[in-house]
Every structure is written in structure tokens, then in C-alpha cells.
Amino acid sequence: MSDRGDTTDGGADDLGATVAALTEDDIAPARRRQLLTRMVSQARSRGISDLFKPRAAVRWMVDTVAEIAPHVPVRDLATLRQHFPGLDDAALAERLIRNASRTTAGIGAAGGGVAAVEWTVAPTLLSAPVLLAAETVAVVAVELKLIGELHEIHGVSLPGAGSQRAVALVHSWATQRGVNPMVPGVGVGAVLGTAARKEMRDMLLRRFGRNLTTLGPFLTGAAVASFLNRRATRQMADQLQADLRRRGIARPAPPPALPGPPTGT
């Protein structure tokens, strides 16, 4: 029986909403698996086929990241300090990197759990390449959110919102450097038709190829995927921060926090 009540028609807004939910810090494992399964269903509803070919998979991932990037929620500095009171900039950045690394690790574990279905029942619900492509896009979304928030902490301005901000985040992710203020404010598709698209495609191909090695019967791939995602997110964040520190501006320290435990995790 179709689960149409919980899945969507695969439009960019619906897919973006699912991916945005996957970027949240604290999601129960069962909820994360549900969201990832929904994302796969949305991907399949868009007529995806032939994803066993790496080029087709990467082309879909490039297009999908471009579509969902404007939907990735990025908190501004004031909101971050409200969520994590009492932390200076360095501690706040470390907390965000830790949380994002845990989230991408959780996505890898969830993907491994969903993939186990392929080894226990007839493969009528999911296709492993579609699952891995969806998992890769979800991990990229988490890292795009982290990139935006690290820019906030380091005082490096992002473009306003929408497609301009999405272009900056995607380019920063592909190059693992801070945003380039000289990138023109045009649509995501236009900018990704240039060298930035190739950089993004190459990065996605490496991520996707790495994820292919995590497939295995039952849950043998889940632990590997979790570890690899966590490590890749940490490495990306460390490289980005090194670049941002060279560009950042000095800001006053945050005001003292009121007594009580931090609200963030």
C-alpha cells in the first residue's frame, strides 16, 4: 500500500523540506530512517532511473543539491548564541562541528539500516544507488548548514538569502573555502554551469564512490558509513575554519549567559 500521506510529490519544496528536517541536530534514529526513506521515495517519484551508472547518479546529485540548497536552514549569530549561551566563538564553532559530525554519522547509520532491507526482503521498495545518492545529498545539506553557521561565527558575510546564499554555500562546500564575495548574484543553475559545477561534481563523485564501499548485508555497512561521514564532515570543517580565520573580523565577546544549563546540545 502506498504511503502517499507521508511522502510527497518530489517537488523541490517538498524535497527541500525533507532534507531540512534531516539537518536538525537531535533526531531519533527511527525518525532519521523515516526521513531518509521519504527522501528516497521522493527521489524515485521524480522518475530517477539508471542510477547504477555513476555519471547519472552524480548528475542527479548535482541537480538536487542545487535545488535544495536554498532550503537549508542557517541560523544567524544571534540565534546561535541564544541556542548555545555562554560559549565563546571558538567553543561555539566546536559545538556546531561536533553536532554536524554526529548528524552526518547518524545519516550514515540510518542509510545502513535502510539498506539492510535490500538483503532481507525482495528489493521492491528501495534501490541501493538511489539510497546512496539520497544519503549523499542529505550529508551535503548538513555540511552546507554548518558552513553557513561557521561563516556567521567567523564574521564572514554571506549573501542575503535564497539563490544568492545557496550559490555561496555550494561553492564554499565544493572548494572547502570561505565564500567568495565576487561570485555574482545570479541563479544557482547559472553559477553551477561554470567551473563551480565541475568542482561540485568532482566532490560529489568522491563522496558517492566512498559510500559505495559501505554497502553490505545486514548492518555491516552502517558503522563504516557512520565513521566515514563523521570524519569527512570534521575534515571539511577544519579546512574551512582555517580559511575563515584568515578572513574573519574581530567582534565583541558575547554577553554573559544567565544562570542555568545551556539549551543547546
Side-chain angles (χ1 to χ4, degrees):
M1 180 176 179
S2 174
D3 190 21
R4 302 290 294 182
D6 194 43
T7 59
T8 64
D9 62 6
D13 289 346
D14 296 323
L15 183 60
T18 302
V19 173
L22 277 164
T23 67
E24 295 177 6
D25 293 337
D26 297 313
I27 307 178
R31 175 61 175 163
R32 186 174 281 120
R33 286 194 298 272
Q34 180 189 44
L35 288 168
L36 193 58
T37 302
R38 178 188 299 176
M39 187 177 173
V40 171
S41 179
Q42 290 170 328
R44 290 172 64 85
S45 72
R46 296 157 73 96
I48 293 174
S49 61
D50 218 17
L51 284 193
F52 281 97
K53 296 181 179 179
R55 285 187 179 182
V58 174
R59 184 166 55 249
W60 178 83
M61 288 187 291
V62 168
D63 292 341
T64 303
V65 169
E67 287 184 5
I68 61 93
H71 301 272
V72 173
V74 176
R75 294 167 290 190
D76 61 23
L77 183 60
T79 302
L80 288 169
R81 285 180 170 169
Q82 183 180 5
H83 286 177
F84 303 98
L87 299 181
D88 62 19
D89 287 352
L92 179 55
E94 179 58 33
R95 181 68 60 86
L96 295 181
I97 294 169
R98 186 200 69 178
N99 287 356
S101 298
R102 287 178 174 177
T103 300
T104 59
I107 291 171
V114 175
V117 173
E118 292 294 307
W119 298 87
T120 57
V121 300
T124 55
L125 174 63
L126 300 175
S127 153
V130 178
L131 171 61
L132 290 179
E135 178 189 326
T136 301
V137 169
V139 167
V140 172
V142 173
E143 293 179 352
L144 291 177
K145 178 181 180 180
L146 175 62
I147 286 168
E149 293 176 353
L150 288 178
H151 277 77
E152 285 285 326
I153 292 172
H154 286 274
V156 178
S157 298
L158 286 169
S163 63
Q164 292 186 20
R165 190 191 68 179
V167 166
L169 290 176
V170 169
H171 188 264
S172 179
W173 179 85
T175 61
Q176 300 194 9
R177 293 181 178 274
V179 298
N180 182 358
M182 301 305 293
V183 172
V186 296
V188 177
V191 170
L192 293 183
T194 65
R197 188 179 182 93
K198 182 181 184 301
E199 291 169 340
M200 180 182 172
R201 185 183 67 239
D202 292 346
M203 179 73 75
L204 282 168
L205 182 58
R206 288 196 293 272
R207 290 292 186 91
F208 185 68
R210 181 201 68 196
N211 287 351
L212 285 173
T213 67
T214 67
L215 285 178
F218 304 107
L219 297 179
T220 56
V224 177
S226 177
F227 168 77
L228 291 176
N229 283 353
R230 183 192 299 269
R231 185 179 66 179
T233 299
R234 165 63 68 172
Q235 289 174 342
M236 181 279 298
D238 288 345
Q239 185 168 334
L240 175 66
Q241 281 213 108
D243 187 60
L244 289 174
R245 290 189 189 101
R246 293 192 291 268
R247 309 182 186 207
I249 60 175
R251 286 192 310 271
L258 296 176
T263 57
T265 58

